[in-house]
Short mmCIF file of all heavy atoms in Angstrom, two decimals:
data_model
loop_
_atom_site.label_atom_id
_atom_site.label_comp_id
_atom_site.label_asym_id
_atom_site.label_seq_id
_atom_site.Cartn_x
_atom_site.Cartn_y
_atom_site.Cartn_z
N GLY B 309 20.27 25.95 16.86
CA GLY B 309 19.53 26.50 15.75
C GLY B 309 18.06 26.59 15.90
O GLY B 309 17.47 25.93 16.76
N TYR B 338 -5.45 12.79 13.37
CA TYR B 338 -4.86 13.98 13.92
C TYR B 338 -3.49 13.64 14.45
O TYR B 338 -3.21 12.55 15.01
CB TYR B 338 -5.74 14.47 15.14
CG TYR B 338 -7.09 14.93 14.71
CD1 TYR B 338 -8.19 14.12 15.01
CD2 TYR B 338 -7.36 16.09 14.12
CE1 TYR B 338 -9.46 14.51 14.64
CE2 TYR B 338 -8.60 16.56 13.78
CZ TYR B 338 -9.74 15.71 14.05
OH TYR B 338 -10.98 16.07 13.70
N ASN B 350 17.59 17.00 17.76
CA ASN B 350 19.02 16.96 17.99
C ASN B 350 19.50 15.47 18.08
O ASN B 350 18.75 14.55 18.44
CB ASN B 350 19.39 17.61 19.37
CG ASN B 350 19.10 19.09 19.29
OD1 ASN B 350 19.08 19.70 18.20
ND2 ASN B 350 18.96 19.70 20.47
N PRO B 360 16.03 10.59 20.10
CA PRO B 360 16.01 11.47 18.98
C PRO B 360 15.44 10.89 17.73
O PRO B 360 15.49 9.70 17.56
CB PRO B 360 17.56 11.67 18.78
CG PRO B 360 18.25 10.34 19.38
CD PRO B 360 17.27 9.99 20.46
N ILE B 372 -3.86 10.39 16.74
CA ILE B 372 -5.18 9.66 16.87
C ILE B 372 -5.53 9.18 15.48
O ILE B 372 -5.30 9.83 14.46
CB ILE B 372 -6.29 10.69 17.33
CG1 ILE B 372 -6.01 11.04 18.81
CG2 ILE B 372 -7.70 10.10 17.12
CD1 ILE B 372 -6.93 12.14 19.35
N LYS B 385 -12.74 -2.86 13.77
CA LYS B 385 -12.84 -1.76 12.75
C LYS B 385 -13.76 -0.68 13.18
O LYS B 385 -14.81 -0.90 13.71
CB LYS B 385 -13.29 -2.37 11.47
CG LYS B 385 -13.45 -1.44 10.26
CD LYS B 385 -13.88 -2.12 9.01
CE LYS B 385 -14.02 -1.12 7.87
NZ LYS B 385 -14.40 -1.76 6.54
N GLY B 461 -0.19 26.03 29.11
CA GLY B 461 -0.39 27.14 29.88
C GLY B 461 -1.79 27.61 30.02
O GLY B 461 -2.33 27.98 31.09
N LEU B 463 -4.47 25.88 29.77
CA LEU B 463 -5.17 24.92 30.64
C LEU B 463 -4.75 25.14 32.09
O LEU B 463 -5.56 25.07 33.00
CB LEU B 463 -4.95 23.53 30.18
CG LEU B 463 -5.37 23.13 28.77
CD1 LEU B 463 -4.93 21.79 28.44
CD2 LEU B 463 -6.89 23.28 28.64
N ALA B 464 -3.37 25.28 32.38
CA ALA B 464 -2.94 25.35 33.68
C ALA B 464 -3.55 26.44 34.53
O ALA B 464 -3.88 26.35 35.67
CB ALA B 464 -1.43 25.52 33.64
N GLY B 472 -8.29 25.81 43.30
CA GLY B 472 -8.44 26.58 44.53
C GLY B 472 -7.59 27.88 44.58
O GLY B 472 -7.67 28.56 45.54
N GLU B 492 -11.84 35.04 27.94
CA GLU B 492 -12.36 33.68 27.54
C GLU B 492 -12.02 32.62 28.56
O GLU B 492 -12.85 31.72 28.82
CB GLU B 492 -11.83 33.26 26.17
CG GLU B 492 -12.37 32.02 25.59
CD GLU B 492 -11.85 31.78 24.19
OE1 GLU B 492 -11.88 32.71 23.39
OE2 GLU B 492 -11.42 30.64 23.93
N PHE B 495 -8.60 34.04 33.38
CA PHE B 495 -7.49 34.65 34.11
C PHE B 495 -7.88 36.03 34.71
O PHE B 495 -8.68 36.74 34.06
CB PHE B 495 -6.26 34.82 33.20
CG PHE B 495 -5.53 33.54 32.80
CD1 PHE B 495 -6.22 32.52 32.13
CD2 PHE B 495 -4.20 33.39 33.13
CE1 PHE B 495 -5.53 31.37 31.84
CE2 PHE B 495 -3.56 32.21 32.79
CZ PHE B 495 -4.17 31.20 32.12
N ILE B 499 -0.12 39.62 31.24
CA ILE B 499 0.94 40.59 30.93
C ILE B 499 1.46 40.23 29.60
O ILE B 499 1.84 39.10 29.36
CB ILE B 499 2.01 40.53 32.01
CG1 ILE B 499 1.50 40.93 33.33
CG2 ILE B 499 3.26 41.34 31.57
CD1 ILE B 499 2.50 40.66 34.49
N GLN B 509 4.76 45.32 36.35
CA GLN B 509 3.40 44.90 36.13
C GLN B 509 3.05 43.69 37.09
O GLN B 509 2.00 43.57 37.65
CB GLN B 509 3.21 44.45 34.69
CG GLN B 509 3.21 45.62 33.76
CD GLN B 509 3.02 45.11 32.31
OE1 GLN B 509 1.96 44.82 31.88
NE2 GLN B 509 4.15 45.07 31.53
N ILE B 529 12.10 35.73 31.75
CA ILE B 529 10.75 35.86 32.33
C ILE B 529 10.67 35.09 33.66
O ILE B 529 10.18 35.57 34.64
CB ILE B 529 9.69 35.28 31.28
CG1 ILE B 529 9.60 36.26 30.18
CG2 ILE B 529 8.33 35.17 32.00
CD1 ILE B 529 8.61 35.87 29.03
N MET B 537 8.60 35.74 44.10
CA MET B 537 7.85 34.58 44.81
C MET B 537 8.05 34.67 46.30
O MET B 537 9.06 35.17 46.82
CB MET B 537 8.40 33.23 44.25
CG MET B 537 8.05 33.08 42.77
SD MET B 537 8.39 31.39 42.13
CE MET B 537 7.14 30.43 43.00
N ILE B 544 6.28 24.98 39.38
CA ILE B 544 5.95 23.72 38.63
C ILE B 544 6.75 23.83 37.31
O ILE B 544 6.50 24.58 36.42
CB ILE B 544 4.45 23.63 38.35
CG1 ILE B 544 3.66 23.73 39.56
CG2 ILE B 544 4.12 22.39 37.55
CD1 ILE B 544 2.20 23.99 39.43
N CYS B 546 7.36 22.83 34.18
CA CYS B 546 6.74 22.14 33.10
C CYS B 546 7.60 22.16 31.84
O CYS B 546 7.78 21.07 31.20
CB CYS B 546 5.38 22.79 32.78
SG CYS B 546 4.51 21.98 31.42
N SER B 637 -4.55 18.16 11.22
CA SER B 637 -5.58 17.29 10.72
C SER B 637 -5.08 16.56 9.47
O SER B 637 -4.86 17.24 8.47
CB SER B 637 -6.88 18.10 10.44
OG SER B 637 -7.89 17.26 9.86
#
Side-chain angles (χ1 to χ4, degrees):
Y338 299 102
N350 295 337
I372 290 173
K385 183 178 179 180
L463 299 172
E492 185 176 313
F495 285 61
I499 296 169
Q509 293 178 76
I529 288 176
M537 294 187 73
I544 303 165
C546 177
S637 174

